[in-house]
Amino acid sequence: MVAKRPARFRALDQVRGLAIFCMILAHFGPGVYERLGIGGTPRAMLDLIGRLATPAFVLIFGITLAIIYVPKARKAPDATMRGLINRSGLVLLCSLIVSLHGTVNVLMTSDEPAFWFRLLLAQYSVLTFYTVAIFLTALAVRFIAQDPVRIGFLGGALLIFIGSVLGYEAFPFQGEKAIELVRLLFVSGKYGVFVMMGCAWLMIGVGVLIRNHLANGTSFHRDVMTIALGMALLGLSDGRVVGWRTLGDLASGYAAPPQFWYLAMVGGAMLSALVALDRYTVPVVGFVLERIGRYPLSIYVAHSLVLPGVALLRWAAPTLPEAIGTVGCLLLFIGFCVYKVWSSTAPDRARRTLAVQG
């Protein structure tokens, strides 16, 4: 008899799906806002919602480590390490696909100075962070699994400290050479590995708390909501000292290197959403968020190809109205998302068919 797979934590899929919608809002929304003349506080609020996406994904990564990979690492550390390394390779491949448009643009100007620097710089994206973070976590996962709460907390805090000190003081701009790419990747870039991976590791303890509650059949809502409110308030307090004064500052003031206060604030919002989605069921919305949230990598890659697709159409068919090309590319992306949602229901449909036949 084949053992059943453990039930998915639907609320985590749903909050991941919510982060995907925030990501789409961040990348496609500004052009719509300008055409509709949306500005002021409404625009700042929409921009802030969009900016929640990347930090939310990073923090969800930490919770996922605790719920899925830490238990696996306790039973089969070598297999878990290999699985994470393979995952990092897949993310690297997707990163190269996402960066293809920028790579082509650099290759078309190969006679300009610092060509190799610009070519490597064109590969930099949030997927570059995930490639490195997943690989490094794979190397450490057997040690994290021994005491995930303490090691995750202390290791995450140490990474945040190193990244913050180097990012602001000890590691200045190095010029257009290889060491600058290292600085960008680990310390000073928009997706600096040290601070962002440190924040993800801090969330391992929260993931362990949730996993224990789920295993015992008890509610995690009160404990996680307490952590969520604490994180949000501490993050906003620290950010106030750093300099945000308006909603617009929160929406646009978060820049490289990654800032811990901002990630803490987003972590509070993300955990609050996790509790709300687990506690309250909205049938259609919850279903769509859950199914979309199962495919973050493929949907990220697909959405990143929309704007290059519009540019390609503009070059290949200059007489085609731009609105038609833009809408066409967006519809292809939406169609892909619908297909992913539909295909994810195949096992459920198969089970219903077997039940009827039985």
Side-chain angles (χ1 to χ4, degrees):
M1 183 176 180
V2 179
K4 293 183 179 180
R5 294 180 61 184
R8 294 185 69 100
F9 182 23
R10 292 184 176 180
L12 188 61
D13 285 332
Q14 289 173 349
V15 78
R16 197 182 290 114
L18 185 62
I20 289 173
F21 279 102
C22 290
M23 173 189 72
I24 293 171
L25 191 67
H27 290 177
F28 299 147
V32 177
Y33 308 151
E34 291 176 5
R35 286 176 172 79
L36 296 179
I38 298 176
T41 300
R43 171 66 183 269
M45 178 61 72
L46 290 168
D47 286 339
L48 177 58
I49 293 172
R51 292 298 298 275
L52 300 179
T54 296
F57 278 126
V58 171
L59 299 168
I60 291 169
F61 170 51
I63 295 177
T64 303
L65 283 174
I67 293 177
I68 297 178
Y69 290 100
V70 165
K72 287 183 177 181
R74 285 175 174 168
K75 297 178 180 179
D78 291 336
T80 304
M81 181 182 69
R82 288 194 299 270
L84 282 169
I85 290 175
N86 290 339
R87 183 68 176 177
S88 71
L90 175 62
V91 175
L92 175 60
L93 176 61
C94 293
S95 177
L96 295 175
I97 294 172
V98 168
S99 304
L100 185 60
H101 181 251
T103 302
V104 171
N105 288 337
V106 174
L107 290 174
M108 293 175 66
T109 59
S110 59
D111 57 336
E112 294 187 4
F115 167 73
W116 289 107
F117 176 84
R118 291 185 299 106
L119 183 63
L120 292 173
L121 184 62
Q123 314 310 311
Y124 184 66
S125 71
V126 68
L127 294 186
T128 315
F129 156 75
Y130 280 112
T131 298
V132 177
I134 294 173
F135 181 81
L136 294 178
T137 300
L139 300 181
V141 71
R142 67 171 67 244
F143 304 105
I144 294 173
Q146 294 174 11
D147 192 347
V149 175
R150 290 187 178 88
I151 294 176
F153 184 80
L154 291 176
L158 179 62
L159 287 170
I160 292 169
F161 175 77
I162 293 172
S164 298
V165 171
L166 292 179
Y168 286 100
E169 299 174 16
F171 206 167
F173 177 67
Q174 303 293 307
E176 294 182 333
K177 46 190 177 181
I179 190 64
E180 175 61 19
L181 295 172
V182 174
R183 185 182 82 99
L184 182 72
L185 177 62
F186 285 96
V187 175
S188 62
K190 186 177 180 181
Y191 313 111
V193 169
F194 283 147
V195 171
M196 294 183 72
M197 189 169 78
C199 288
W201 282 17
L202 287 182
M203 299 302 291
I204 292 175
V206 179
V208 170
L209 173 67
I210 293 172
R211 190 190 69 214
N212 290 341
H213 274 292
L214 293 175
N216 295 327
T218 55
S219 173
F220 62 83
H221 298 161
R222 181 176 296 179
D223 290 341
V224 173
M225 199 65 195
T226 301
I227 296 171
L229 292 175
M231 286 179 64
L233 292 173
L234 288 173
L236 286 169
S237 299
D238 188 29
R240 184 73 173 184
V241 174
V242 172
W244 75 269
R245 292 295 179 269
T246 67
L247 183 62
D249 293 334
L250 282 177
S252 61
Y254 172 58
Q259 298 172 32
F260 172 70
W261 70 266
Y262 193 90
L263 287 155
M265 179 198 71
V266 174
M270 182 270 294
L271 289 176
S272 299
L274 181 68
V275 171
L277 289 168
D278 189 70
R279 184 168 185 175
Y280 303 105
T281 301
V282 183
V284 176
V285 174
F287 173 80
V288 172
L289 288 178
E290 177 192 347
R291 300 299 169 149
I292 288 292
R294 293 185 181 188
Y295 306 102
L297 184 58
S298 58
I299 290 176
Y300 179 86
V301 173
H303 107 283
S304 69
L305 299 177
V306 171
L307 295 181
V310 172
L312 181 62
L313 276 178
R314 191 182 297 125
W315 171 79
T319 59
L320 183 71
E322 185 171 346
I324 293 178
T326 302
V327 171
C329 291
L330 283 172
L331 288 176
L332 284 174
F333 168 65
I334 293 171
F336 175 78
C337 294
V338 171
Y339 165 75
K340 296 299 288 184
V341 170
W342 172 254
S343 64
S344 72
T345 64
D348 298 331
R349 297 196 305 272
R351 281 192 292 269
R352 286 196 295 268
T353 301
L354 289 174
V356 171
Q357 292 175 351

